Amino acid sequence: MVKIGYLSFDASVKIHYSGKYTSTKTNKSGNMGIAGYIRHIDRATDKMNGCEVQHSNPDINSDLTLENESYYKDSNGEWQRTSHSKDMVNAINRRIEYAKEHGARISTKGKNDAVIVRPLVLQMDNDSITGHENTWMWDLIGILEEQFGKENITGFSTHKDETNPQNPHIHVCFVPCHEKDKDGEVKCSISQTKFFKNPKQLAGLHNKFRKALLDKGYDIELENKPIEEQLAGYYDKNGEWHQQGLTPDQLKELTDRELNLRMEMVKMKYKQSELDMLEKALSDMMKSTKAKQEEMEKEHEKELETLHLQQTALDNEKVRSQAAVLLREMNAKKREMETEEMFENICATAEICFRILKEKNELNPDFLEYLGKEGEKRGKPFRRFVEIWHKNFLDEYSEKISEDDSDLQMELKHCVNKLLKQKNEETRSFPDTSDIKRTGCEFLF
């Protein structure tokens, strides 16, 4: 019978910049800092250098410690076997200094005490490693580098000196340095929350690691072992089962409870499926409604634009009509003024003409007065003689003179009446004869 292997992943320990460390799993805390953590995981290097330290873990078998292996990344990013415990410390510090040089701000105060190392622990049982004895740790490191960034995995140690049934396991140094490119320049920040956003996302990493190992040919469970199996016991190297404190009744109780929980989960999955279908239907309906609304808004905009163009055309036509009326009024006013001016000129000319005609039939009073004065001076009746001669002249030519004067007066009257009629038709109704007399043309009538 082939047993399916098991993998667990733990990221519960946090090492802060101040040196403080905390564990969300055990609620323990202390001030061992980076150096203290490396002293714990790289104990094989210390022992090799004659600096063995007593550890509090009772499962450690010091006779097997030298079988542990530790590696760090050098300044060129290449993996090297540790020769001193400070090798792993220096690798961590190089990554932190790189982050600082590229803008990372790290605080040591209170709640802002930054987590600069988030140790990772991955455990695999012997069944998982079978057939991959020489590559398993590098396969795990490759998966971690892909998940958290190649440069952020700075060192690791494999432990084979513990009697824990889930031996062997690997401790990994992870510096949560987040890099991004901003305007062609690399900007860094030290932030664990960029990688571990919430418990759900952290739990999801388990499945990612297991799937990656399955793709590499490992016989490993995709899901975690049931909690009751882990608590109930384990198989040792010889395949013997060891009870860890739970009785068969307790195990059965846990199993029944898990069965009920799994049944509820199945029901929830069906309900979730229905909710997903409903959500999708609502989403499609909202998209359709939004599309129709956008279409209606576009049609409304077109209608508004058409109305605006029509209103503009009407306004332009109104302006043109008003301008035409104003122009006609101006032209009429101009013609009226020109007619008035012409009429006044004609009246003045006619007045002169009639004055000339009148003077033609009469002697000039000034001339007669002059003749009277000259006659008195010389003792001769010059004025009387001239008046007699003028009378005789008028008598002799009276018919001809009257006919000519009458024709000329009639012609002048006809011209003036014609102009008066034209003026009346084009501009306004002209006044009657009494009104015309008041204009100074009374001599025409």
Side-chain angles (χ1 to χ4, degrees), residues 145-383:
E145 287 180 332
E146 183 177 351
Q147 177 66 39
F148 298 106
K150 184 176 181 180
E151 301 301 326
N152 290 337
I153 305 301
T154 60
F156 67 92
S157 292
T158 59
H159 288 181
K160 303 176 183 178
D161 61 346
E162 297 182 33
T163 58
N164 188 303
Q166 293 175 337
N167 181 50
H169 56 275
I170 182 172
H171 291 261
V172 182
C173 299
F174 162 52
V175 178
C177 176
H178 183 264
E179 296 185 57
K180 64 179 180 179
D181 191 324
K182 186 176 182 181
D183 299 328
E185 183 178 357
V186 176
K187 295 291 185 180
C188 293
S189 62
I190 298 294
S191 175
Q192 60 165 341
T193 58
K194 297 286 186 180
F195 301 91
F196 303 105
K197 298 180 180 180
N198 51 60
K200 183 178 180 181
Q201 182 263 349
L202 179 59
L205 292 175
H206 293 71
N207 285 341
K208 287 185 178 180
F209 295 147
R210 295 188 185 98
K211 189 175 184 306
L213 289 173
L214 285 171
D215 292 340
K216 292 180 179 294
Y218 285 78
D219 293 325
I220 194 168
E221 290 183 344
L222 185 59
E223 300 291 339
N224 257 333
K225 284 186 177 181
I227 184 65
E228 57 268 34
E229 183 177 341
Q230 297 181 47
L231 294 176
Y234 64 91
Y235 290 97
D236 62 16
K237 294 181 180 181
N238 298 321
E240 295 182 3
W241 176 260
H242 294 269
Q243 181 70 29
Q244 288 190 316
L246 291 180
T247 66
D249 291 336
Q250 292 173 326
L251 179 59
K252 184 177 183 302
E253 182 180 350
L254 288 173
T255 303
D256 291 341
R257 185 174 62 184
E258 185 200 11
L259 180 61
N260 293 331
L261 289 174
R262 289 187 178 182
M263 290 298 294
E264 290 297 324
M265 289 178 64
V266 170
K267 293 179 182 178
M268 290 178 64
K269 285 183 179 180
Y270 280 113
K271 290 181 180 179
Q272 185 63 44
S273 176
E274 294 175 357
L275 289 174
D276 291 342
M277 292 176 61
L278 179 60
E279 183 178 1
K280 185 178 183 304
L282 288 174
S283 177
D284 293 341
M285 185 174 65
M286 290 179 66
K287 288 180 181 178
S288 177
T289 303
K290 184 178 180 182
K292 290 181 179 178
Q293 183 179 0
E294 291 176 352
E295 184 178 354
M296 291 177 63
E297 288 177 353
K298 289 181 180 179
E299 292 179 356
H300 182 62
E301 289 177 359
K302 289 182 180 178
E303 292 177 356
L304 289 177
E305 185 178 359
T306 302
L307 289 174
H308 177 70
L309 293 175
Q310 292 176 349
Q311 184 64 40
T312 302
L314 290 173
D315 292 342
N316 292 338
E317 184 63 28
K318 184 177 179 181
V319 171
R320 286 195 293 269
S321 299
Q322 291 175 348
V325 171
L326 181 60
L327 183 60
R328 286 197 297 270
E329 291 177 354
M330 290 176 65
N331 289 335
K333 188 68 176 178
K334 182 179 179 182
R335 288 197 299 271
E336 182 180 355
M337 293 175 66
E338 290 175 349
T339 303
E340 290 285 352
E341 183 180 359
M342 182 177 64
F343 181 70
E344 290 175 0
N345 291 336
I346 290 173
C347 288
T349 304
E351 184 180 1
I352 293 171
C353 291
F354 277 97
R355 188 184 299 120
I356 292 172
L357 290 174
K358 183 178 180 182
E359 290 177 354
K360 185 178 73 169
N361 297 324
E362 297 178 358
L363 287 172
N364 190 301
D366 294 337
F367 178 66
L368 291 176
E369 185 179 356
Y370 173 73
L371 289 176
K373 290 180 180 180
E374 287 295 321
E376 291 178 358
K377 289 180 181 180
R378 300 185 183 189
K380 294 182 178 181
F382 292 146
R383 176 173 179 170

Side-chain angles (χ1 to χ4, degrees), residues 1 95-96 199 223 304 324-325 388 415:
M1 178 180 179
R95 187 58 178 165
I96 294 173
E223 300 291 339
L304 289 177
V325 171
I388 293 171
C415 291

Side-chain angles (χ1 to χ4, degrees), residues 10-149:
D10 181 82
S12 59
V13 177
K14 303 175 184 178
I15 300 178
H16 297 263
Y17 194 44
S18 64
K20 178 183 177 181
Y21 81 91
T22 57
S23 173
T24 58
K25 187 175 182 179
T26 63
N27 293 324
K28 290 182 178 180
S29 63
N31 293 285
M32 66 179 185
I34 295 175
Y37 172 70
I38 299 302
R39 179 60 55 86
H40 169 69
I41 67 170
D42 193 17
R43 50 184 177 265
T45 301
D46 282 341
K47 186 171 184 177
M48 182 179 60
N49 291 325
C51 187
E52 187 172 4
V53 177
Q54 293 294 325
H55 296 278
S56 59
N57 188 350
D59 293 328
I60 295 176
N61 184 351
S62 61
D63 294 336
L64 302 176
T65 296
L66 291 177
E67 294 184 12
N68 296 345
E69 298 179 57
S70 296
Y71 294 85
Y72 73 99
K73 273 185 182 167
D74 62 17
S75 57
N76 296 321
E78 300 294 334
W79 286 112
Q80 304 292 342
R81 187 77 178 262
T82 59
S83 57
H84 297 88
S85 59
K86 65 179 181 180
D87 292 336
M88 295 179 71
V89 175
N90 292 338
I92 292 172
N93 288 332
R94 276 195 297 270
R95 187 58 178 165
I96 294 173
E97 288 302 317
Y98 172 85
K100 288 182 178 179
E101 292 171 1
H102 291 80
R105 292 179 294 179
I106 307 176
S107 175
T108 62
K109 297 180 180 179
K111 294 181 179 180
N112 295 324
D113 190 1
V115 175
I116 57 173
V117 178
R118 188 78 182 258
L120 309 175
V121 182
L122 289 90
Q123 296 183 358
M124 297 182 70
D125 54 18
N126 290 323
D127 295 329
S128 305
I129 297 173
T130 301
H132 305 276
E133 289 83 357
N134 297 324
T135 61
W136 70 273
M137 64 180 183
W138 295 112
D139 289 337
L140 286 178
I141 292 299
I143 296 172
L144 292 173
E145 287 180 332
E146 183 177 351
Q147 177 66 39
F148 298 106

